[in-house]
Amino acid sequence: LTDSPEILKILQNWVPRVSHYFDKEHYTYVGHQIVIQESIEHFGAVVWPGALALSQYLESNQEQFNLKDKKVLEIGAGTGLVSIVACILGAYVTATDLPEVLENLSYNISRNTQNMNMHKPEVRKLVWGEGLNEDFPVSSYHYDFILATDVVYHHTALEPLLATMVYFCRPGTVLLWANKFRFSTDYEFLEKVCNIFNTTVLAEFPESNVKLLKATVREN
């Protein structure tokens, strides 16, 4: 973690709303207007700052992280904003989350990617640490990028989350993880990630307390 990260600010990339409904947010990334329907019942169904930070970073660092025709897995995709941006950038995207979030996630992804000349994204159930080998067998699934935003907050699933990151991060895979750091548990999780992976802080968004990290497998 010795590199000096870029210090950035989350840009106000959302467009003033045209609609008067409280549940839709309009964003613009990579020249596309993206309309996200949030759901107030679920944590996963609100756009958190880490998603904005990673979307913005992917948009402005396309040469460093070229997603075109790459296989991308988003874990804890929530409303799907990051997966939609990755899709617009040309990736083969698989967006995953808990069963109760999938309906809203699928709706947002299909609505924002239909009629576009891009790889059709896939939406799948993924409960961290559960059934990974059955649902995503090592022999058939290899991802170039794993994307995760705001997956660490007050919840009990941190061990399964770490196990999921370890499972999908194979040699050659890049994990890009953006998170708001508030609690000591967030920093403890960060320490575990740094102990397991080669980790670099790519960017910090101090006003939002967001850090964006890149992690890769240590190859012995």
Side-chain angles (χ1 to χ4, degrees), residues 72-74 76-81 83-84 87 92-113 119-126 136 141 143:
V72 170
L73 174 74
E74 186 179 7
T79 58
L81 178 65
S83 280
I84 292 161
C87 189
Y92 289 94
V93 176
T94 303
T96 66
D97 212 316
L98 296 169
E100 58 268 27
V101 180
L102 294 186
E103 193 182 343
N104 192 56
L105 173 61
S106 301
Y107 173 78
N108 283 331
I109 287 186
S110 62
R111 171 188 182 149
N112 286 285
T113 58
H119 307 303
K120 196 167 163 41
E122 194 185 359
V123 174
R124 292 185 60 177
K125 176 191 86 161
L126 173 59
F136 297 89
Y141 290 92
Y143 294 97

Side-chain angles (χ1 to χ4, degrees), residues 24-40:
K24 290 191 174 48
E25 290 285 357
H26 297 248
Y27 302 90
T28 309
Y29 289 103
V30 206
H32 289 265
Q33 183 165 337
I34 300 170
V35 181
I36 294 293
Q37 173 171 288
E38 299 191 331
S39 143
I40 43 180

Side-chain angles (χ1 to χ4, degrees), residues 17-60:
R17 352 182 142 173
V18 192
S19 65
H20 300 290
Y21 299 109
F22 71 93
D23 64 340
K24 290 191 174 48
E25 290 285 357
H26 297 248
Y27 302 90
T28 309
Y29 289 103
V30 206
H32 289 265
Q33 183 165 337
I34 300 170
V35 181
I36 294 293
Q37 173 171 288
E38 299 191 331
S39 143
I40 43 180
E41 295 93 84
H42 301 297
F43 256 159
V46 176
V47 176
W48 297 99
L52 301 174
L54 183 53
S55 296
Q56 179 179 320
Y57 195 83
L58 289 172
E59 176 181 41
S60 30

